[in-house]
Amino acid sequence: MSESSTIGAIADDVTGATDVAIALRRRGIHTLLFFGVPPEGSDLPGHDAIVIALKTRTIGRAEAVAQSLAALDWLRARGAGQIYFKYCSTFDSTPDGNIGPVLDALADAMDVPVVAMTPSSPEHGRTQYDGYLFVGDVLLSESHMRHHPLTPMTDSYLPRVMEAQSAHRSGVVPLARVRQEGGIARRLAELRAEGVRYALVDAIDDADLTAAGRALVAEPLVAGAAGLAGGLAAARTPADHHEPPASAPEGVAAVLAGSCSARTLEQVDAMIEAGRPAYRLDAQADPDPASLAEKALAWYDTLTQKTEAPLIYSSLEPEALRQVQQALGAERSAAILESAIGRIARGLVERGVTRVISAGGETSGAVVSALGVPGGLIGPEAARGVPWILTTSGLALLLKSGNFGEPALLLEASR
């Protein structure tokens, strides 16, 4: 793959970055992952794609736009021929953004009239049909995402969601056009003529995403979840290509869970039911991040058996979470716990932990920031879309999106 045709991906959170990186890696796209925009002069080994993990999903829109444009400039200066803006497969956002504002800024900076996009990721149970996003067999607005503490999703019709946070119109590329030879290109031309900037592409299976990838492989700016990134990668590599299997890293492990998603709650329960040592962070009882971290690390120090990875978690059921947010405020409670978990991650590594497993996008961002990890190589997957990240310092990270993985993932990955 020539330098001019490399993919530059900008992800709005850390776990989304690992998800898109592994989607590219599976198809033989040699992928580098960086946490934040790398400094000038960073060493770049041979690559076909660079993924930059930001933490912009829930921050102020102006800052989200500024960070995304800085990532764009860095990637384009290094020859990225196609930019991919990665957002969550459940379209996590609020009426203020940040998907719309960031894409408005990227499209303006690149002078792109129409941006094709889709959150569809069938392997994770996310599909788009007629512009509506489904989670499993229910609409997004009827799924667990309607209760998300930071980005509650109460509307399933994506053009309407997008128009609420963007300065431009949105339309749909219906499934019939996706499955029609040349249908996507013709529909994009129609939308452009109508003054529509964002084209939400229907896709209900991997074949649809592969067709979309072929149609969009030369587009300068594309957006979506990891599914469409995989379709773009498939369009660039032989159909029979498969990455060789690799062994998971070994070493002393610890699990940090902050996501309150239904799947992470199941994974936390699985660890506790298996008898793993577990410690819950209670921000309502102690709203001081330094004190929370100190107590958690003191608890860790009492453990005599370090071969069984412990769990330190703040994940709560919806009703308990609401009580904490009412007492402290949603933003304050999240900030307290993220700061505490970052301090705990640093303390665990200082105590000899070499494998850190993190559940939740915001939690993972706090872990990466606290540890000062610049990036790493994408290693084997512990679950679909959840790869190990192998850093040059010898530390291995598993950064899991809240909704990903089977119930036993945290338990099995930390063995």
Side-chain angles (χ1 to χ4, degrees):
M1 185 176 295
S2 67
E3 181 71 11
S4 62
S5 63
T6 58
I7 299 173
I10 303 169
D12 68 357
D13 79 345
V14 169
T15 55
T18 61
D19 191 20
V20 74
I22 198 65
L24 297 171
R25 177 185 178 275
R26 283 191 205 118
R27 296 300 309 186
I29 304 293
H30 298 291
T31 304
L32 305 178
L33 172 62
F34 293 99
F35 300 114
V37 178
E40 294 297 325
S42 297
D43 182 36
L44 297 180
H47 61 277
D48 301 321
I50 301 174
V51 179
I52 295 180
L54 300 178
K55 194 171 180 286
T56 54
R57 182 171 297 171
T58 58
I59 66 174
R61 61 191 297 173
E63 181 60 22
V65 166
Q67 290 187 29
S68 301
L69 288 176
L72 172 67
D73 290 343
W74 192 92
L75 289 166
R76 295 178 80 187
R78 282 146 189 85
Q82 182 174 58
I83 300 298
Y84 191 86
F85 176 57
K86 164 65 172 67
Y87 52 72
C88 186
S89 60
T90 44
F91 215 79
D92 292 21
S93 54
T94 71
D96 291 330
N98 285 328
I99 296 174
V102 168
L103 273 174
D104 284 354
L106 294 176
D108 286 346
M110 299 178 66
D111 195 24
V112 175
V114 179
V115 181
M117 55 194 286
T118 182
S120 181
S121 186
E123 67 178 351
H124 298 129
R126 319 306 191 237
T127 54
Q128 181 191 310
Y129 180 73
D130 205 20
Y132 288 85
L133 180 56
F134 290 80
V135 177
D137 57 359
V138 302
L139 287 166
L140 173 69
S141 57
E142 298 174 9
S143 74
H144 63 281
M145 285 301 297
R146 69 187 184 277
H147 299 306
H148 194 284
L150 297 177
T151 54
M153 302 304 296
T154 57
D155 191 352
S156 306
Y157 188 59
L158 298 183
R160 187 164 51 229
V161 174
M162 191 64 183
E163 288 181 350
Q165 51 184 278
S166 167
H168 301 274
R169 294 171 56 199
S170 295
V172 175
V173 180
L175 190 64
R177 301 294 288 273
V178 173
R179 294 181 172 180
Q180 180 185 80
E181 185 68 30
I184 293 177
R186 287 191 294 272
R187 180 58 177 157
L188 293 181
E190 292 168 3
L191 292 173
R192 178 177 181 176
E194 295 169 10
V196 173
R197 172 171 273 186
Y198 298 113
L200 279 302
V201 181
D202 281 352
I204 63 173
D205 59 28
D206 288 336
D208 297 330
L209 291 171
T210 299
R214 287 196 301 267
L216 303 173
V217 70
E219 291 294 313
L221 176 62
V222 187
L228 181 55
L232 291 170
R236 295 166 176 254
T237 54
D240 59 353
H241 176 88
H242 297 285
E243 282 294 289
S247 300
E250 299 180 350
V252 179
V255 179
L256 301 172
S259 170
C260 294
S261 72
R263 179 44 55 92
T264 294
L265 291 172
E266 290 179 317
Q267 293 163 343
V268 166
D269 286 344
M271 288 199 73
I272 294 172
E273 290 169 5
R276 291 290 186 87
Y279 183 93
R280 187 173 79 82
L281 301 172
D282 189 343
Q284 189 171 359
D286 185 355
D288 178 10
S291 176
L292 275 176
E294 183 180 351
K295 291 173 183 176
L297 291 169
W299 169 82
Y300 179 81
D301 290 338
T302 67
L303 300 178
T304 57
Q305 181 62 275
K306 296 296 197 298
T307 57
E308 289 208 332
L311 165 70
I312 298 175
Y313 68 105
S314 61
S315 307
L316 291 172
E317 296 284 350
E319 182 55 38
L321 176 63
R322 278 191 290 272
Q323 292 177 10
V324 174
Q325 291 178 333
Q326 287 171 1
L328 299 174
E331 290 186 7
R332 183 184 175 212
S333 60
I336 290 168
L337 290 168
E338 286 176 29
S339 177
I341 283 179
R343 294 167 185 259
I344 292 165
R346 210 162 42 232
L348 291 171
V349 171
E350 290 170 355
R351 286 162 170 78
V353 169
T354 60
R355 292 186 296 149
V356 177
I357 298 161
S358 173
E362 302 303 314
T363 302
S364 296
V367 168
V368 167
S369 178
L371 294 177
V373 177
L377 298 173
I378 300 301
E381 292 175 272
R384 191 74 172 172
V386 187
W388 284 100
I389 300 168
L390 311 175
T391 72
T392 55
S393 67
L395 183 65
L397 302 175
L398 189 72
L399 309 174
K400 186 196 85 70
S401 178
N403 298 309
F404 281 14
E406 295 302 313
L409 172 60
L410 298 181
L411 183 66
E412 293 176 352
S414 61
R415 294 190 189 281

